[in-house]
Amino acid sequence: MLHRARVVFPSSPPSAEPLAAGVRLLEELGLVVDVDPYLDDPSLLVADSDERRARHFTEAWLDPETDLIVAGCGGYGSQRMLDHVDWDRLRNVPPKPFLGSSDATALHSRIRIELRVPSLFGPMCSSSVHLLDDETRTSLRAMISGSDSPSIRAAEKQTLVGGAASGVLAGGNLSLLAASIGCPEGTPPLGALVILEDVGEAPYRIDRLLLQLRRSDWFAQTAGILLGDFVDCGDLHEILVDRLADLGVPVCAGFPFGHDTRQVTVPLGVRAHLDADAGTLDILEQPSWSSG
């Protein structure tokens, strides 16, 4: 059971009201919540300097009183602070879960590469609208309490390629994954079940992002693909079929993660099983932070 959460801001600054609502909702889930300082101006690109944002994340990871680190807001900027984090120091202390999504995708990928521990792709503190959804709260509560993760079901299942596969969960926001190619965090684990989602990208941009991943052989060792919400991205069916259906792996769309009001928490870095015909994802091992 996780008891104390610390909210950090690796990306953009939040708006005050959603952040406060998110803190209250996390407290309702049984967490004591501490909020790190940030530049209180939502018009700014990032929540603080790259060095200070990296230092706050490092301090949160090193703090023995902190059980869970939560990204306070998405937006932009997590990639800018990655190389300022003292990863060597983090490897020498007991690990802990990091929770976030969207722009935090780059941080999830770097945690996997540097620390080799699971992380949680799920609602951020200022995304309190997600925490109002029953499925979202149930999923996050299961992760916080350490209970078995319920199966994740695609609510509006679209089986692009049938079949089943098992592998380690990886991925996240499509734009961040494409932007990380060539960087230390830019490759998925071998045999991964890859989750993909995005928001506010025109169809041609989604096509270009997927093409970039394909041309860089990013999907070469992928075992299966789960597509979440692509909010305000237009009709993508033909593009998704064109870019993903011939990879020779199961592909299923309609899973409730991403930027919609339902946002289940997906444990990255653990083994899971995808049944693309049934539209289900079963978590085969519960995430553990007892050792690196």
Side-chain angles (χ1 to χ4, degrees), residues 60-69 94-98 117-118 289:
W61 195 278
L62 296 175
D63 181 8
E65 300 298 318
T66 297
D67 299 311
L68 170 68
I69 303 172
K96 59 192 60 177
F98 169 72
V117 297
W289 294 274

Side-chain angles (χ1 to χ4, degrees), residues 7-17 19 35-56 72-74 76 80 126:
V7 181
V8 299
F9 300 91
S11 305
S12 299
S15 297
E17 290 186 11
L19 176 64
V35 180
D36 270 13
Y38 62 94
L39 300 178
D40 189 10
D41 184 351
S43 68
L44 294 175
L45 192 62
V46 291
D48 211 324
S49 71
D50 298 340
E51 293 81 5
R52 280 193 292 270
R53 286 181 291 119
R55 186 174 71 246
H56 291 161
C73 189
Y76 171 75
R80 290 176 38 164
S126 62

Side-chain angles (χ1 to χ4, degrees), residues 115-161:
L115 306 179
R116 301 184 182 278
V117 297
S119 56
L120 302 175
F121 191 87
M124 293 169 289
C125 194
S126 62
S127 302
S128 53
V129 62
H130 299 299
L131 292 172
L132 296 173
D133 176 77
D134 287 342
E135 186 178 8
T136 303
R137 291 168 67 96
T138 298
S139 174
L140 183 56
R141 184 181 290 110
M143 291 297 170
I144 292 172
S145 67
S147 59
D148 289 346
S149 302
S151 294
I152 300 173
R153 182 173 296 276
E156 299 178 1
K157 176 177 70 73
Q158 300 177 49
T159 303
L160 277 63
V161 180

Side-chain angles (χ1 to χ4, degrees), residues 176-226:
L176 268 293
L177 296 172
S180 295
I181 290 173
C183 301
E185 66 278 5
T187 57
L190 298 180
L193 291 180
V194 173
I195 70 171
L196 298 174
E197 60 83 26
D198 220 314
V199 60
E201 300 286 356
Y204 81 92
R205 290 182 57 85
I206 296 294
D207 182 79
R208 184 164 62 193
L209 292 166
L210 291 172
L211 180 62
Q212 169 73 356
L213 293 182
R214 289 201 59 148
R215 295 186 68 221
S216 64
D217 289 331
W218 196 87
F219 290 115
Q221 300 297 324
T222 296
I225 299 173
L226 299 87

Side-chain angles (χ1 to χ4, degrees), residues 112 166-171 189-194 223 267-272 285:
R112 172 177 58 82
S166 298
V168 174
L169 286 162
L190 298 180
L193 291 180
V194 173
L268 302 178
V270 302
R271 287 187 58 78
E285 58 181 349

